[in-house]
Every structure is written in C-alpha cells, then in structure tokens.
Amino acid sequence: MGTEHSKNEEHRSMVFLRKGPKLPAWEDALLSGREPKSLLKRGLRYVSLSLIMKGMTSTPDFLWGLHEVQKLNLSRNQLVVIPPSLGKLDRLVVLNLGGNCLKCLPKEIGLLRNLKVLFVNMNCLKEVPAELSLCRKLEVLSLSHNCISQLPLSFTDLTSLRKLNLSNNRFVQIPLCTFALRSLDFLHLGSNKLENIAESIQYLVNLQIFIVENNNIRSLPRSLCYISSLELLNVDYNAIQTLPDELYLLHRLRRIAWNPMDKGLHIVHNPLSRPLPEVVEGGLDVLFNYLRDKKEHN
C-alpha cells in the first residue's frame, strides 16, 4: 500500500513539472531563480548588463524586456543570430557583439538611435545593413576581423563617427563612403587587400591615426600629405617603393616609429628604392630634409 501511494505521489509530481512553466536552457542557466532585472548593474553613467563568455548559442528571451539597459556586452559567446528584438532596446548607448559567429546583423539595429559605440569585431559578417546609418549618434564602430568587402553608401550619414576599425577584412579599396566621414580621427584598414589610397583621403581633415599596414599598397598619394592633423601613419608591410616629396608637411609625425603602439611614421618592410632605406635609418628629420631638398630641386 505504502509503495503504491509513493508511486502515485511521484506520478503526480512528474505531471506537475511537465505542466509548469519551464524556462529555456539559456535563461534558466543565467537567471538561476532570479528576476531578470537583478542582472543589471547601475553605474554612475550607464545601466549595464554583461553576459560575456556565457557559452550562449542564442540570446535569452528575457533580454529584450530589459528596456532600461544602456550598455550591453554579449561578446565572446557563440551567437549565430541577433534577433529583430534588438530594436526594442532603444536606450542602448554601447553594444558589444564581438567574438561571436554572426553572419549578419538585423536591420532593426537602425532603431537604436542613441547608440554611440558598436563592436562587432571577430565575427563572420560579409555585409553590414544599410539601416545602421540611421544610428546618427554613432561615434565608435569596430568591424574588424570579418569578411566584409564593402560598406553601404548610406554610411555617409554617420557624421558623428570618430573611430572606424575595418582591419582584417576583404576590402580592395577604401570604401567611398569613408571619405564623407569628416569627423574621423582614427581609421584602421590594416590587413586587407588594398592596392592604393585614393586622393580623396585628403577630405578626412581631422584624421590623427591612419593605419593601412599589411596591404599591397604601392605608393602614397600626395593628398595624404595635406592632412596636417596626422600623428600616426602606419604603412608597414606594403609594396611602397617611393614616397611623395610633400611628406615633410606632416609635421605632427615626430619620429620613425618601430613599436606598433608608438605615434609617428611606420614604414618598415617596404621595398623602398635607394637611397630611401638609408635615409629612413637616419630618422624622420633626415628623411624630411631629404624630401624637402628633393622637391626644391625638382
């Protein structure tokens, strides 16, 4: 009798569990019985949520109900898709999706009108939605380490953009829309497939850091020499043989730089024609004097 009673109780318990609400695996693991809002951190500047390195292959549903979150970090997971529900988080200022397996971004990302910082580096993107250009407050954008070969022309609307990282992609030329981003002070296009730098580079009048290392660039345009704000110019590991005589106009370049983090002119591992290799060895002042004299005598 006692055994039969125990079996009936166990059966009733199993039925209850099957009928009761069951959270999806990711939500259950992340919440562990807590309210979703308990995951939010309220700092001095932002209400933030960090779900970094949680092993997620999909985003938890509760996330899209946290409308007050302003800073969201979903980096270093295994996310394959970001759903359209992302557009519900319209207070987002900082969004980090780096280090996932994303092949695309939802067009609803254009609804994030307060977004200032976006990291989508180290993913599998082949293109970027034109709707991202609706995020007019965007100041920092990193798309490095993807498979992107072009940007939408609508990106010309990102007039607040100051820092753009397009390194380690598949660009064969600098995207045309880039030259309209007059607020840019940092542009990284290293490790692509560039063969030249368009004369239009001169329109980036506020550019301070320009990195195009590890490409197939054969020469530098004269127009580059008129960006007087340049403090770091990195053309290491290219196919450059000659330098424009006007290079000495870049007076904010302080030295021939050898450390990747140093400001100055980075120009190692290029097949410079003689006597440029020996002149470069003498330092930036010697190089600039050589180019200035050369121009005066031409």
Side-chain angles (χ1 to χ4, degrees), residues 249-260:
L249 296 174
L250 298 177
H251 61 275
R252 292 195 182 183
L253 297 180
R254 300 297 186 186
R255 62 174 72 88
I256 299 291
W258 307 99
N259 187 313

Side-chain angles (χ1 to χ4, degrees), residues 55-69:
M56 297 186 298
T57 55
S58 61
T59 51
D61 288 339
F62 71 78
L63 182 59
W64 314 120
L66 301 177
H67 302 293
E68 57 198 300
V69 66

Side-chain angles (χ1 to χ4, degrees), residues 23-273:
L23 287 171
W26 296 119
E27 296 192 26
D28 192 26
L30 291 169
L31 290 176
S32 301
R34 295 177 293 174
E35 283 293 319
K37 288 189 176 182
S38 68
L39 299 176
L40 297 175
K41 304 295 182 184
R42 299 179 185 276
L44 293 175
R45 295 187 64 190
Y46 300 125
V47 175
S48 63
L49 173 61
S50 179
L51 297 177
I52 182 174
M53 294 181 67
K54 298 296 184 182
M56 297 186 298
T57 55
S58 61
T59 51
D61 288 339
F62 71 78
L63 182 59
W64 314 120
L66 301 177
H67 302 293
E68 57 198 300
V69 66
Q70 296 169 288
K71 185 176 181 180
L72 177 61
N73 191 341
L74 298 176
S75 65
R76 300 175 70 181
N77 284 286
Q78 288 97 47
L79 300 176
V80 177
V81 172
I82 299 295
S85 301
L86 173 67
K88 296 179 180 179
L89 304 182
D90 55 5
R91 295 187 186 179
L92 276 182
V93 177
V94 180
L95 175 59
N96 190 342
L97 300 173
N100 281 286
C101 307
L102 302 175
K103 293 184 178 180
C104 62
L105 294 173
K107 63 182 182 180
E108 286 77 9
I109 198 168
L111 298 175
L112 307 181
R113 302 299 171 86
N114 291 302
L115 196 64
K116 290 186 178 181
V117 179
L118 175 61
F119 292 99
V120 205
N121 51 297
M122 292 188 287
N123 276 279
C124 307
L125 299 181
K126 291 186 177 180
E127 60 183 12
V128 186
E131 288 79 5
L132 183 58
S133 62
L134 298 174
C135 301
R136 304 290 172 81
K137 294 182 180 180
L138 198 63
E139 297 179 5
V140 178
L141 175 60
S142 178
L143 297 169
S144 70
H145 294 84
N146 278 284
C147 305
I148 305 168
S149 58
Q150 58 185 357
L151 294 180
L153 283 176
S154 61
F155 269 37
T156 56
D157 293 332
L158 295 176
T159 54
S160 297
L161 199 63
R162 295 186 299 105
K163 303 186 187 303
L164 177 59
N165 190 341
L166 301 174
S167 64
N168 290 272
N169 275 285
R170 298 179 179 176
F171 292 99
V172 296
Q173 62 182 10
I174 300 176
L176 287 176
C177 61
T178 305
F179 303 125
L181 306 178
R182 306 297 170 83
S183 297
L184 277 185
D185 58 41
F186 175 97
L187 178 58
H188 194 342
L189 276 151
S191 298
N192 276 281
K193 299 180 179 182
L194 304 181
E195 294 188 356
N196 61 70
I197 299 172
E199 294 284 348
S200 301
I201 193 69
Q202 64 184 311
Y203 297 126
L204 301 183
V205 294
N206 292 302
L207 202 58
Q208 297 176 23
I209 296 177
F210 184 39
I211 303 172
V212 285
E213 65 177 348
N214 195 29
N215 279 284
N216 301 309
I217 298 168
R218 299 192 176 103
S219 63
L220 300 180
R222 280 189 170 85
S223 61
L224 178 66
C225 305
Y226 301 115
I227 306 178
S228 58
S229 54
L230 269 181
E231 297 178 0
L232 189 158
L233 173 59
N234 190 336
V235 294
D236 286 348
Y237 295 94
N238 274 284
I240 298 170
Q241 296 184 10
T242 61
L243 297 174
D245 294 343
E246 294 83 358
L247 196 67
Y248 67 85
L249 296 174
L250 298 177
H251 61 275
R252 292 195 182 183
L253 297 180
R254 300 297 186 186
R255 62 174 72 88
I256 299 291
W258 307 99
N259 187 313
M261 301 301 293
D262 287 345
K263 290 184 177 181
L265 175 62
H266 298 251
I267 198 168
V268 299
H269 298 284
N270 280 284
L272 296 172
S273 58

